Amino acid sequence: MLNLLTAERIKLLHSKKLWVVLAILTVLPILQVINTKWNVSNGAKLVQAIDTVVNGATSILMMEKNALTILLIISAFISFFIGEEFQNGTIRNALSLGRSRTHYYLSKLIMAAALSLIGVIIMTGLGMAGFSTVFGFGEIAHISDYTSFMIKSFSTLYLLLLANVSIYIFITFLTKSTGISLIWSFLYTMGTGFGAGIFQQTEHFKELTFWFTESFLFYADFAAPIDIAKYPNMVLVSVITIVVSSTLGILLFKRTDIK
């Protein structure tokens, strides 16, 4: 397992895709600070419930503010990161050396999770620095213990993101194709994300939508007390999603013929 992780790390460090993802997540918060400053200069009034990030304190919610962008970037990265292994036949190199398929699958999950964590840490850190410089650190209404809130909100948001990472990896191992994986990952993200807004208007499907992590990422206000109280539910849904998708992915991958 350690050998696989070492090989994946070396492969990633020499991959342009890695640096493209990190570059986007680095530039994004800088552009948002500039854009927000421009809007305020032109008379716009920042409202936390709408704009999500309005000062340095609320910048811990950069993952919530950029949820759709992050999901699309990560899904594209995973589609290429794993899909090319099947299409180029390089996956046979690891498996022919007797590497466990379970370990191979988990190595991809761990590397994608690590990249996602590094990316959102960079994005959040730059967001906090930028918004604090321009708008001041400020505070968040109803939050008295900011340190506790910061840890809980960041951890919860990352778990919600990680749940989607596990789904994208499952999809790519299932399709074994970069192009098809891109399409299905996009459809999954849009369907479970924006479709939730429609189902929440119905009596019978309203609760069902909250078993999809995008429902929280796209529609919850992580700074509102009513949604902060839902953090344990968000964590539970995320963990279940990760376990179920990874288990199914490993079981199906074990039965896959590598051509």
Side-chain angles (χ1 to χ4, degrees), residues 36 38 41 48-49 55 62 112 114 118 129-130 150 181 204 218 238 243 251 256:
T36 304
W38 172 265
S41 298
Q48 193 282 318
N55 54 26
M62 288 294 290
I118 293 171
M150 178 180 68
S181 173
H204 298 291
F218 292 174
S238 299
V243 172
L251 290 176
T256 298

Side-chain angles (χ1 to χ4, degrees), residues 108-240:
K108 294 294 186 182
L109 176 60
I110 291 171
M111 295 308 297
L115 170 62
S116 302
L117 179 59
I118 293 171
V120 296
I121 287 176
I122 292 173
M123 182 187 67
T124 303
L126 289 174
M128 294 188 78
F131 276 91
S132 294
T133 300
V134 177
F135 300 100
F137 188 78
E139 60 182 12
I140 303 177
H142 311 297
I143 303 297
S144 56
D145 186 351
Y146 181 76
T147 301
S148 176
F149 168 76
M150 178 180 68
I151 295 172
K152 289 179 180 178
S153 60
F154 184 89
S155 301
T156 302
L157 282 164
Y158 176 68
L159 273 176
L160 290 169
L161 174 63
L162 186 58
N164 286 278
V165 168
S166 70
I167 291 291
Y168 298 143
I169 289 177
F170 168 72
I171 291 173
T172 309
F173 268 96
L174 190 64
T175 60
K176 300 184 288 294
S177 167
T178 298
I180 298 175
S181 173
L182 277 170
I183 294 172
W184 279 108
S185 295
F186 176 83
L187 291 175
Y188 169 81
T189 302
M190 294 302 176
T192 56
F194 295 104
I198 299 174
F199 288 124
Q200 284 179 24
Q201 307 304 317
T202 66
E203 186 65 29
H204 298 291
F205 294 100
K206 184 176 181 179
E207 294 301 322
L208 180 63
T209 60
F210 287 105
W211 281 97
F212 294 96
T213 55
E214 284 90 341
S215 300
F216 298 114
L217 285 170
F218 292 174
Y219 299 104
D221 179 0
F222 284 74
I226 188 173
D227 287 321
I228 291 175
K230 296 178 182 177
Y231 278 10
N233 292 340
M234 298 181 192
V235 171
L236 176 63
V237 171
S238 299
V239 171
I240 291 175

Side-chain angles (χ1 to χ4, degrees), residues 7-15 18-19 77 81 111:
E8 293 293 346
R9 181 177 60 82
I10 295 173
K11 193 184 304 181
L12 267 182
L13 291 175
H14 290 84
S15 172
L18 166 67
W19 302 110
F77 168 79
F81 177 51
M111 295 308 297

Side-chain angles (χ1 to χ4, degrees), residues 64-138:
E64 178 194 356
K65 181 178 179 66
N66 299 290
L68 178 59
T69 302
I70 296 172
L71 291 179
L72 293 178
I73 292 171
I74 295 298
S75 67
F77 168 79
I78 290 173
S79 295
F80 284 100
F81 177 51
I82 300 174
E84 288 180 349
E85 296 272 12
F86 284 97
Q87 293 180 183
N88 297 333
T90 52
I91 186 175
R92 292 194 297 268
N93 298 334
L95 299 182
S96 63
L97 295 174
R99 304 301 183 193
S100 165
R101 289 198 178 199
T102 299
H103 288 170
Y104 186 85
Y105 188 101
L106 291 177
S107 70
K108 294 294 186 182
L109 176 60
I110 291 171
M111 295 308 297
L115 170 62
S116 302
L117 179 59
I118 293 171
V120 296
I121 287 176
I122 292 173
M123 182 187 67
T124 303
L126 289 174
M128 294 188 78
F131 276 91
S132 294
T133 300
V134 177
F135 300 100
F137 188 78

